[in-house]
Amino acid sequence: MTFAWEKAMMTDLFGDRCKEPLAEGAVILRGFALDRGLVDVVSTIAKAAPFRHMQTRGGRQIGVEMTNCGSLGWVSDQRGYRYEATDPLTGKPWPSMPEGFGDLANAAAGAAGFGSFRPDACLINRYAPGVKMGLHQDKDEAGFDAPIVSVSLGLPATFQFGGIERSDPVRRHELRHGDVVVWGGPARLAWHGILTLKQGEHPETGRSRINLTFRLAGYR
Ligand code: MD3
Ligand code: FE
């Protein structure tokens, strides 16, 4: 539970020097997710809903390994992309959203200047060295009013961030362990991707990068 006064204090206490504006509606909160034990929580979730390579509509395997928590999870298979309440691998509901995850996403949205954010979906992506995520837009959600909050853990990655048009120029930013990015308003439908992950080893995640993406995927 986060009280309104707590949220206001956290918003103030997270210094402006840790905030890097990317574009209108998009800001990096450097180190916002440090020291919250998130990697251990991801391990617990992955015991119930293992990381897996999903398939694309065209029958190809996605290089990033994925799982989800929350009432909705992002899935991809030969029928396409969508959100589902059930994990197709286990036939069970996705693990529930840990309170610490929801509170972190809400606090990050607040620090970025957005109002109350209670995501129903957390997609968990795992990248091994050599894996990338090509430029795309996130358009599988029921609405685009809410922001998206993303949390980077483990090995650093180069994030590509463009504009609303596929042909808009793209800028690169390094995302490191503990960084949080909040995307909303005019940035919500921006094209984005992750360049091929470089080799490396991180004390908390080993030879991998983990990204948590919090979304309001269903209808309110
Ligand atoms: C900008 N994930 O899962 S997070 C994705 O690091 C995804 O795993 C990347 O793109 C990753 O869809 C990037 C940063 C991110 C997430 C959503 C966005 C940036 C965004 C939505 C709109 C604009
Ligand atoms: Fe995306």
Side-chain angles (χ1 to χ4, degrees):
M1 177 63 187
T2 312
F3 294 99
W5 62 268
E6 263 185 307
K7 189 170 179 183
M9 282 190 65
M10 289 185 294
T11 305
D12 280 354
L13 289 174
F14 190 72
D16 279 347
R17 69 203 162 78
C18 302
K19 293 183 194 169
E20 284 179 34
L22 285 183
E24 176 85 8
V27 62
I28 306 183
L29 308 174
R30 292 288 181 196
F32 193 89
L34 288 174
D35 306 322
R36 291 173 184 257
L38 298 178
V39 174
D40 288 341
V41 180
V42 169
S43 299
T44 303
I45 291 167
K47 283 183 182 119
F51 282 103
R52 82 291 305 264
H53 290 284
M54 295 187 190
Q55 304 286 122
T56 64
R57 189 195 285 280
R60 288 172 58 97
Q61 188 176 276
I62 296 174
V64 178
E65 293 178 284
M66 299 172 170
T67 186
N68 292 275
C69 65
S71 56
L72 290 172
W74 188 87
V75 298
S76 176
D77 60 20
Q78 315 238 10
R79 290 181 294 154
Y81 306 145
R82 64 199 175 277
Y83 284 90
E84 294 254 346
T86 303
D87 177 352
L89 194 62
T90 64
K92 293 191 284 196
W94 296 104
S96 56
M97 180 87 68
E99 196 176 63
F101 275 25
D103 286 351
L104 169 67
N106 188 36
F114 292 91
S116 171
F117 176 52
R118 288 296 169 188
D120 55 15
C122 174
L123 171 63
I124 308 176
N125 293 324
R126 186 169 69 189
Y127 297 73
V131 168
K132 65 175 175 160
M133 184 179 284
L135 271 190
H136 66 279
Q137 291 173 294
D138 289 18
K139 294 208 289 192
D140 302 321
E141 299 72 33
F144 307 124
D145 290 343
I148 289 181
V149 171
S150 90
V151 177
S152 292
L153 298 169
L155 290 177
T158 305
F159 175 70
Q160 288 188 294
F161 185 55
I164 298 301
E165 302 293 335
R166 172 82 231 243
S167 57
D168 287 341
V170 171
R171 286 190 309 175
R172 294 174 173 189
H173 302 271
E174 188 87 335
L175 295 180
R176 295 179 287 267
H177 180 72
D179 289 348
V180 175
V181 194
V182 183
W183 327 82
R188 174 63 183 78
L189 290 171
W191 287 81
H192 60 279
I194 295 286
L195 295 186
T196 304
L197 200 78
K198 294 191 191 108
Q199 291 289 345
E201 182 136 13
H202 187 275
E204 290 197 37
T205 64
R207 296 180 210 279
S208 69
R209 170 178 187 262
I210 292 170
N211 181 264
L212 315 177
T213 309
F214 295 94
R215 301 185 177 88
L216 192 59
Y219 293 98
R220 271 177 289 185

